[in-house]
Amino acid sequence: MWKMGCCTGRCTLILLCSLQLLVALERQVFDFLGYQWAPILANFLHIIIVILGFFGTIQYRSRYIVVYAVWTAVWVTWNVFIICFYLEVGGLSKDSDLLTFNISEHQSWWSEHGPGCVRREMHMTQIKASSANSYISVMDCVIEYQYIEVLHSSVQILISVCVNENPVRTQTSHTSYS
């Protein structure tokens, strides 16, 4: 018979890993849509390590949990960088190609598709090129895209801090349920 009780540290970590995985997958989708290559790689690594932490929690593998806990500190640092990048702190510029590795001129997907944004394309007829380039004007956004990106990073930091505040006490012997 299963015993019901308070949520243990292990149960809490499983819940936080699940939440962190869902939020990371959502973020990964929007970074792919915006061709943000540095965040795509960071999110991919984060997803792998969250799965590792999830597995370590379920299987009582303390080494995996330690790797996951150390990674969450690195993940917080990455998200603080993203916040500084979009708020243009310390000489960083949200208009630079840093997050795309200078491969493309794309920006955050939210810069053109944010809540309430009206997107207008103006075709360049003066420049004759082989591809149809256009200038995109975005107006009337309810929230500017950099604040959406800051919000995403803030949620990631909040979840990571919760993970580090709730250490798991791994059990050496498994409890048998009768």
Side-chain angles (χ1 to χ4, degrees), residues 13 16 19-20 28 31 36 39-40 45 48 62 64 78-80 83 96 108 114 120 129 149 151 160 178:
L13 188 57
L16 288 171
L19 181 62
Q20 203 169 33
Q28 183 77 322
D31 286 340
Q36 301 287 304
I40 288 169
L45 185 59
I48 289 172
S62 59
Y64 293 169
W78 168 256
N79 282 288
V80 168
I83 289 170
S96 74
S108 169
R120 293 190 182 123
E149 293 288 353
L151 183 64
S160 294
S178 12

Side-chain angles (χ1 to χ4, degrees), residues 3 27 29 32 38 68 130 150 170:
K3 295 181 180 180
R27 187 176 184 181
V29 167
F32 262 117
Y68 173 66
S130 60
V150 166
T170 56

Side-chain angles (χ1 to χ4, degrees), residues 69-99:
V70 169
W71 171 255
T72 57
V74 173
W75 188 243
V76 167
T77 305
W78 168 256
N79 282 288
V80 168
F81 166 75
I82 294 294
I83 289 170
C84 292
F85 179 81
Y86 281 108
L87 294 180
E88 298 184 331
V89 175
L92 295 170
S93 172
K94 67 181 181 271
D95 296 325
S96 74
D97 293 330
L98 184 64
L99 297 181

Side-chain angles (χ1 to χ4, degrees), residues 113-126:
H113 302 91
C117 291
V118 177
R119 183 174 180 237
R120 293 190 182 123
E121 291 188 31
M122 297 174 220
H123 295 285
M124 296 181 153
T125 56
Q126 298 170 347

Side-chain angles (χ1 to χ4, degrees), residues 142-177:
V142 175
I143 301 173
E144 292 184 37
Y145 76 95
Q146 63 266 27
Y147 300 122
I148 296 173
E149 293 288 353
V150 166
L151 183 64
H152 272 113
S153 291
S154 300
V155 168
Q156 291 285 345
I157 290 171
L158 180 66
I159 296 170
S160 294
V161 168
C162 288
V163 166
N164 281 334
E165 289 294 320
N166 294 306
V168 173
R169 293 172 185 87
T170 56
Q171 302 172 1
T172 54
S173 63
H174 300 289
T175 308
S176 63
Y177 297 103

Side-chain angles (χ1 to χ4, degrees), residues 96-110:
S96 74
D97 293 330
L98 184 64
L99 297 181
T100 61
F101 295 137
N102 295 324
I103 295 174
S104 65
E105 294 182 19
H106 289 91
Q107 290 185 341
S108 169
W109 182 81
W110 295 106

